[in-house]
Amino acid sequence: MDFSSKLLEKAVEEIALLPGIGKRTALRLALHLLKQPEEQTVHLSKALLDLKTRIVFCENCHMVSDTKICSICANVKRDKSTVCVVEDVRDVMAIENTSQYQGVYHVLGGKINPIEGIGPGQLNISSLVQKVKNGTVEEVIFALSSTMEGDTTNFYIYKQLENESVKTSTIARGIGVGDELEYADEITLGRSILHRIPFENSLKN
Amino acid sequence: MDFSSKLLEKAVEEIALLPGIGKRTALRLALHLLKQPEEQTVHLSKALLDLKTRIVFCENCHMVSDTKICSICANVKRDKSTVCVVEDVRDVMAIENTSQYQGVYHVLGGKINPIEGIGPGQLNISSLVQKVKNGTVEEVIFALSSTMEGDTTNFYIYKQLENESVKTSTIARGIGVGDELEYADEITLGRSILHRIPFENSLKN
């Protein structure tokens, strides 16, 4: 593309570095900002900079936070003996939105993925193992997505915790609420039959 | 959504103000930036701020520019007597990419659109009329998209220039190069037959 302005070209280049945004979309966004009042760009620019420079990760669970210990870990009402292991911050938000979980979290920051060069050392696994070894954790719930990488990560952590006196569990796999049986894949449907639960239990929520 | 951090929430809100970006995408982008080196966010933030605060619009053609007069208007090789009227900056880039046009441009900054409350007064129309009245322009080429708003805008400008001694033309409508005839709409196909050109002319490019 032939830009008439170096400033515009630079902005488009930087925006296009974001995932899922190509040069054309980046140009559209840049020209949109040019049409808007200056405050919008100033606020956006400041919010991005603040996000990166001032945000911290909770020392305990690695969740994004404004303080050293996040609001979930700091909440005395949460059950510290149950730790839910998730891939990233969005998973914590998703589970929090259900209002069904009263334990705490442990954010790994990714999944083991040899193809992309992500090994256990780059994830927050050792701090989880240490937390369990300290003896305050009674149950570890694996809540990673059940892809090959997720299963590998689950199994790696499971092996690390094998000799500890801690219960490990995984979230239930099955047919989603409202989903049609006939469109479900065979593995999910098979597991949902194998891991069936007493009918009365399904009436509770 | 339940954010664990006010900084993250603020960044997501600001990103989600951009067109075509919802809260979920904004969160994905914000978390992506968090994972990247700090320089990326600093550069992005600075590029956006520079774009808005330092960019200027060419005094002559209203194109985005780093200088008071844009590189196209300042180029002595460009034919200043031919002015191509376009909706926005992207159209200038698109035409420049063809390398077929040697005249200059006039960027309107939009189209007349009563539904969205955009009247002729909000567009750069009076400066175009003034330019023609000054007598240096020989031809005005309308290159707006042929929607109702585009046609209205063309006609409005045409009426303003009616009493001036200036040639007005519009870009050719017809079947796109490589397009299948059978999929073309009737209006386009009809116009392409009405406005047929001598075969030899089509061999030139």
Side-chain angles (χ1 to χ4, degrees):
Chain A
M1 257 185 287
D2 183 19
F3 290 94
S4 57
S5 153
K6 287 271 168 226
L7 293 168
L8 181 62
E9 188 172 357
K10 181 80 186 137
V12 168
E13 265 173 24
E14 290 293 338
I15 299 172
L17 287 178
L18 295 171
I21 297 190
K23 282 237 169 176
R24 267 172 196 270
T25 308
L27 178 60
R28 193 166 54 85
L29 296 179
L31 293 176
H32 170 84
L33 283 178
L34 273 182
K35 278 191 187 174
Q36 301 303 309
E38 188 166 320
E39 299 90 74
Q40 188 179 340
T41 310
V42 173
H43 289 167
L44 172 62
S45 172
K46 188 172 175 308
L48 292 177
L49 209 57
D50 279 354
L51 173 73
K52 186 65 190 177
T53 53
R54 290 177 45 201
I55 218 164
V56 289
F57 291 88
C58 173
E59 286 178 356
N60 193 37
C61 73
H62 309 285
M63 176 70 180
V64 292
S65 170
D66 296 343
T67 45
K68 276 185 169 183
I69 299 292
C70 76
S71 55
I72 297 171
C73 289
N75 188 341
V76 287
K77 288 185 184 161
R78 306 293 292 234
D79 171 15
K80 306 289 187 304
S81 67
T82 310
V83 175
C84 180
V85 178
V86 293
E87 185 188 338
D88 76 9
V89 174
R90 271 176 292 177
D91 302 324
V92 174
M93 290 182 189
I95 297 177
E96 282 299 287
N97 276 340
T98 68
S99 313
Q100 294 290 338
Y101 181 65
Q102 291 306 317
V104 292
Y105 297 91
H106 189 92
V107 181
L108 294 179
K111 289 177 287 192
I112 296 175
N113 190 337
I115 295 171
E116 292 186 7
I118 302 172
Q122 280 135 289
L123 304 176
N124 303 317
I125 291 178
S126 58
S127 56
L128 173 66
V129 174
Q130 195 51 51
K131 220 187 274 180
V132 172
K133 283 193 172 152
N134 292 346
T136 52
V137 181
E138 284 168 22
E139 181 175 1
V140 170
I141 305 172
F142 294 119
L144 302 183
S145 52
S146 65
T147 55
M148 198 165 73
E149 291 80 20
D151 289 344
T152 307
T153 313
N154 282 343
F155 193 69
Y156 179 87
I157 300 173
Y158 173 75
K159 276 290 182 190
Q160 300 275 309
L161 299 178
E162 220 171 13
N163 299 320
E164 308 299 326
S165 63
V166 68
K167 210 169 103 184
T168 47
S169 59
T170 175
I171 53 168
R173 308 291 175 187
I175 307 295
V177 177
D179 281 3
E180 300 274 1
L181 270 206
E182 57 177 324
Y183 299 122
D185 66 293
E186 292 135 39
I187 300 175
T188 303
L189 188 54
R191 283 197 193 178
S192 78
I193 290 183
L194 271 179
H195 304 134
R196 61 193 177 276
I197 58 163
F199 184 67
E200 303 85 56
N201 292 7
S202 72
L203 301 175
K204 284 181 188 159
N205 279 304
Chain B
M1 257 185 286
D2 182 19
F3 291 95
S4 57
S5 152
K6 288 271 169 227
L7 294 169
L8 180 61
E9 188 172 356
K10 180 81 186 139
V12 168
E13 264 174 25
E14 291 292 337
I15 299 172
L17 287 179
L18 295 171
I21 296 189
K23 282 238 168 174
R24 267 171 197 272
T25 308
L27 178 59
R28 193 166 53 85
L29 296 178
L31 293 177
H32 170 84
L33 283 177
L34 274 182
K35 278 190 187 173
Q36 302 301 307
E38 188 166 322
E39 300 89 75
Q40 188 178 339
T41 310
V42 173
H43 289 167
L44 172 62
S45 172
K46 188 173 176 303
L48 291 177
L49 209 58
D50 280 355
L51 173 73
K52 186 65 191 179
T53 54
R54 290 178 45 201
I55 218 165
V56 289
F57 290 89
C58 174
E59 287 178 355
N60 192 36
C61 72
H62 309 284
M63 176 70 180
V64 291
S65 170
D66 296 343
T67 46
K68 277 185 169 185
I69 299 293
C70 75
S71 55
I72 296 171
C73 289
N75 188 341
V76 288
K77 287 184 184 162
R78 306 293 292 234
D79 172 15
K80 306 289 187 303
S81 67
T82 310
V83 175
C84 180
V85 178
V86 293
E87 186 187 337
D88 77 7
V89 174
R90 271 176 291 176
D91 302 324
V92 174
M93 290 181 188
I95 298 177
E96 283 299 287
N97 276 340
T98 68
S99 312
Q100 294 290 338
Y101 181 64
Q102 291 306 316
V104 292
Y105 297 92
H106 189 91
V107 180
L108 294 180
K111 289 177 288 192
I112 296 175
N113 191 336
I115 295 171
E116 292 187 9
I118 302 172
Q122 279 133 290
L123 305 175
N124 302 318
I125 292 178
S126 58
S127 56
L128 173 64
V129 174
Q130 194 52 50
K131 220 186 274 180
V132 173
K133 283 192 172 152
N134 291 347
T136 51
V137 181
E138 283 168 24
E139 181 175 0
V140 171
I141 304 171
F142 294 119
L144 302 184
S145 52
S146 65
T147 55
M148 198 165 72
E149 291 79 22
D151 289 345
T152 308
T153 313
N154 282 343
F155 193 70
Y156 179 88
I157 300 173
Y158 174 76
K159 277 290 183 189
Q160 301 274 308
L161 300 178
E162 220 172 15
N163 300 320
E164 309 298 326
S165 63
V166 69
K167 210 170 103 185
T168 48
S169 59
T170 174
I171 53 167
R173 307 293 176 186
I175 307 295
V177 177
D179 281 3
E180 300 274 1
L181 269 206
E182 57 177 324
Y183 298 122
D185 67 292
E186 293 135 37
I187 301 176
T188 303
L189 189 53
R191 284 195 193 180
S192 79
I193 290 182
L194 272 179
H195 304 135
R196 59 194 178 276
I197 58 162
F199 183 68
E200 304 84 56
N201 292 7
S202 73
L203 301 175
K204 284 180 188 160
N205 279 302

